[in-house]
Amino acid sequence: MATRLVSVNFDAHDHAALARWWADALGWSIVYEADDEVEVSSGIDGVPTLEFIAVPEPKVVKNRIHLDLASRDDGHMAEIVDRLLASGATRVDVGQAGAPWVVLADPEGNEFCVLEPRERTQRAPGLASIVVDAHDPAALAAFWAEVAGWAVANVDPEGRFASLHRPDDRPPDLDFVRVDDPKVVKNRVHLDVAPRPDDDRVAIIGRLHARGAADADVGQGPDVSWHVLTDPEGNEFCVLSNR
């Protein structure tokens, strides 16, 4: 497809404060700051950055895209949870009773998970995975494998989940997890992809349409440098300018 996943984008009331919170949570750095946007980066090539954008709209439902944080061992997991709770996170119940991971929300209510120690996530740069709710995880993973430029690595035969791995096979992963609840509002967290410098962005957008993407109006106006689409399950994403 010639696009690649470059960032995870968060709507926020106080985008600068939320960006600082996530930079501290992950041990990443703020690499760009403007009046309406802040970018947080791991500093590792190929790992998506986190972008925080100022918006006036409130959060009203559970996010359909969330982040999973990695831990090295049980003690490290407890340390992460305690540290984040002390810095403004809260415990939330999304029906995870009995799960080995801990579900929290950041200071603006965005859900995320602190995972139990796993062999794969030992190599993660703080961020273990980007998780997307899906009605059909395998089908949505197949679409995003082309859009993100990541490989399908694991598909559950019972249809519960599917995972994509980055080209270097290191975390973070892009995981699709089956849910039954419908999408009812614009996602507060979305993904951004970008073509490479010499690619034809217009042709790429045409191919995305052919694969099930649709144009979306989220109030972006006619003069922005990005193109807003939805994936086959209605999740908004942006095709940025060539880079």
Side-chain angles (χ1 to χ4, degrees), residues 23-235:
D24 290 341
L26 291 168
W28 292 12
S29 301
I30 292 175
V31 295
Y32 174 79
E33 191 162 4
D35 289 343
D36 59 353
E37 179 183 0
V38 179
E39 180 180 8
V40 175
S41 173
S42 68
I44 300 172
D45 187 44
V47 173
T49 62
L50 306 183
E51 307 281 342
F52 297 86
I53 305 296
V55 302
E57 299 85 10
K59 181 178 184 293
V60 294
V61 299
K62 180 180 78 69
N63 289 343
R64 296 185 73 81
I65 299 177
H66 73 266
L67 305 182
D68 282 351
L69 277 58
S71 65
R72 296 188 301 269
D73 52 47
D74 290 341
H76 186 227
M77 180 183 181
E79 176 188 321
I80 293 171
V81 171
D82 289 345
R83 174 171 58 85
L84 297 181
L85 288 172
S87 69
T90 54
R91 295 183 184 271
V92 295
D93 183 355
V94 294
Q96 74 272 16
W101 53 84
V102 175
V103 184
L104 301 175
D106 70 20
E108 291 207 4
N110 299 297
E111 301 84 3
F112 66 96
C113 298
V114 180
L115 299 182
E116 75 284 3
R118 300 179 183 182
E119 181 178 357
R120 175 162 177 79
T121 60
Q122 296 299 306
R123 302 184 297 169
L127 180 60
S129 62
I130 303 155
V131 185
V132 182
D133 289 355
H135 293 152
D136 187 338
L140 200 57
F143 173 87
W144 274 100
E146 294 200 41
V147 181
W150 296 14
V152 177
N154 191 10
V155 178
D156 176 49
E158 297 181 3
R160 295 171 298 177
F161 62 85
S163 297
L164 305 184
H165 289 181
R166 295 195 299 123
D168 67 1
D169 198 37
R170 289 178 176 268
D173 301 334
L174 186 54
D175 295 328
F176 299 85
V177 178
R178 187 175 65 199
V179 300
D180 295 326
D181 51 303
K183 180 179 183 294
V184 294
V185 297
K186 179 179 79 71
N187 285 347
R188 201 164 180 81
V189 181
H190 71 263
L191 306 181
D192 290 337
V193 302
R196 299 187 185 278
D198 296 331
D199 294 329
D200 184 337
R201 192 173 75 138
V202 173
I204 286 170
I205 291 169
R207 293 200 295 273
L208 288 169
H209 287 149
R211 285 169 170 78
D215 292 326
D217 183 354
V218 295
Q220 69 269 25
D223 299 324
V224 298
S225 61
W226 56 88
H227 193 100
V228 185
L229 297 169
T230 56
D231 69 18
E233 291 201 6
N235 299 298

